[in-house]
Amino acid sequence: MNTNETQKELFNRYYDLLIDWNERINLTAITDKDAVWLKHFKDSVSISNIIDMNKVDSVIDVGTGAGFPGIPLKIMYPHINLTLLDSLDKRVKFLNTVIDELELNNVYAIHGRAEDIAQDNSYRERFDLCVSRAVASLPVLTELCVPFVKVGGCFVSYKSEKAKEEIIEAGKAISILGASLSDVKEFNLSDDDNLRVLIKLNKINSTPKNYPRRAGIPGKKPIK
Ligand code: SAM
């Protein structure tokens, strides 16, 4: 990962806050510094394998947790307007501390469920790019994420080994939600790391108003 001095400093401060807060609230199982750099920071910015972030302005990270992949993307691509969404308030408090301490501009942390926030016109179909890592299976995630994307924008899902099966299972959801499968990239972050898969969906039509369904329903009854 090629970082300049400012970015290195920001990642180091982010790492310190993550480890400090992790003693009080559950943020990450990975705490070793090299492992955090690889499996959180480098993994988050691996999106450059599938899209050119310099062409993206507004980004929403759904189910961001401790800020992955959103915060590393902001550090590497400071021009983006970033919205971080999570349903756990404690994690949103941590994110607000990171935003303050790292003095990040145009980053907003929101507490709520994707199903509710995506029905709010201030967020619905407002983003060039939606990203999400380790939140749900692709059929569920498609319903939670595609409604946030403008027609002409895209959704990138960070997945691993089971990606191919998930893409097949998500076929119906992808077309109902107004998206189409655009690209899939497989790679490794290092020689001894697991397979990573990025899935890119393009938003080609507006999402019907009745999606996403009420909070909890996408997970309980995925579109199939
Ligand atoms: N994306 C982060 C990462 O890769 O480290 C966090 C992954 S964590 C396993 C999943 C996160 O998604 C949790 O912080 C949880 O609160 C959030 N989440 C789950 N369902 C959600 C929903 N429907 N709307 C918003 N956030 C959700």
Side-chain angles (χ1 to χ4, degrees):
M1 202 160 104
N2 287 328
T3 49
N4 62 31
E5 279 312 307
T6 312
Q7 289 162 336
K8 212 175 283 171
E9 164 77 16
L10 290 171
F11 277 121
N12 281 330
R13 281 159 67 192
Y14 183 27
Y15 173 77
D16 290 343
L17 286 167
L18 185 69
I19 299 307
D20 179 27
W21 279 64
N22 202 42
E23 287 179 10
R24 299 182 294 285
I25 65 169
N26 179 19
L27 292 171
T28 175
I30 302 164
T31 54
D32 172 75
K33 194 163 189 176
D34 290 343
V36 168
W37 270 81
L38 184 76
K39 291 175 188 286
H40 286 324
F41 299 167
K42 191 173 177 189
D43 186 37
S44 294
V45 305
S46 69
I47 197 168
S48 60
N49 280 298
I50 205 161
I51 58 167
D52 180 355
M53 284 298 291
N54 295 309
K55 295 189 176 149
V56 169
D57 175 24
S58 50
V59 181
I60 183 165
D61 180 2
V62 171
T64 186
F68 305 120
I71 300 269
L73 289 179
K74 177 69 186 176
I75 294 174
M76 292 305 285
Y77 304 99
H79 70 279
I80 62 172
N81 284 280
L82 175 65
T83 299
L84 301 165
L85 172 64
D86 204 276
S87 54
L88 217 60
D89 198 31
K90 289 185 286 188
R91 294 191 175 140
V92 174
K93 289 203 171 73
F94 167 72
L95 295 170
N96 277 318
T97 303
V98 173
I99 293 167
D100 287 348
E101 299 264 326
L102 271 57
E103 298 178 27
L104 300 175
N105 296 321
N106 298 321
V107 181
Y108 312 95
I110 299 176
H111 172 225
R113 293 193 65 141
E115 296 93 319
D116 300 323
I117 304 296
Q119 290 294 355
D120 179 332
N121 279 334
S122 320
Y123 297 99
R124 190 177 179 87
E125 303 198 324
R126 297 281 172 187
F127 297 89
D128 299 327
L129 169 67
C130 176
V131 290
S132 191
R133 190 186 80 156
V135 174
S137 67
L138 194 62
V140 178
L141 213 49
T142 300
E143 184 170 356
L144 300 182
C145 292
V146 172
F148 287 107
V149 181
K150 294 174 187 170
V151 173
C154 65
F155 164 47
V156 174
S157 171
Y158 290 63
K159 290 287 181 187
S160 50
E161 278 86 2
K162 299 246 168 76
K164 286 208 174 113
E165 290 99 302
E166 290 195 37
I167 291 170
I168 293 165
E169 282 174 15
K172 190 170 173 192
I174 292 170
S175 97
I176 286 181
L177 273 291
S180 76
L181 180 65
S182 153
D183 203 356
V184 180
K185 284 267 157 41
E186 294 188 352
F187 55 94
N188 296 88
L189 294 174
S190 70
D191 292 344
D192 54 359
D193 197 50
N194 302 337
L195 180 73
R196 309 281 163 159
V197 184
L198 292 172
I199 302 166
K200 179 174 176 246
L201 306 184
N202 286 346
K203 179 91 171 239
I204 52 171
N205 290 310
S206 202
T207 298
K209 279 274 173 252
N210 46 328
Y211 294 102
R213 292 165 291 167
R214 272 188 299 112
I217 305 291
K220 272 190 213 121
K221 293 185 181 172
I223 301 167
K224 280 194 182 158

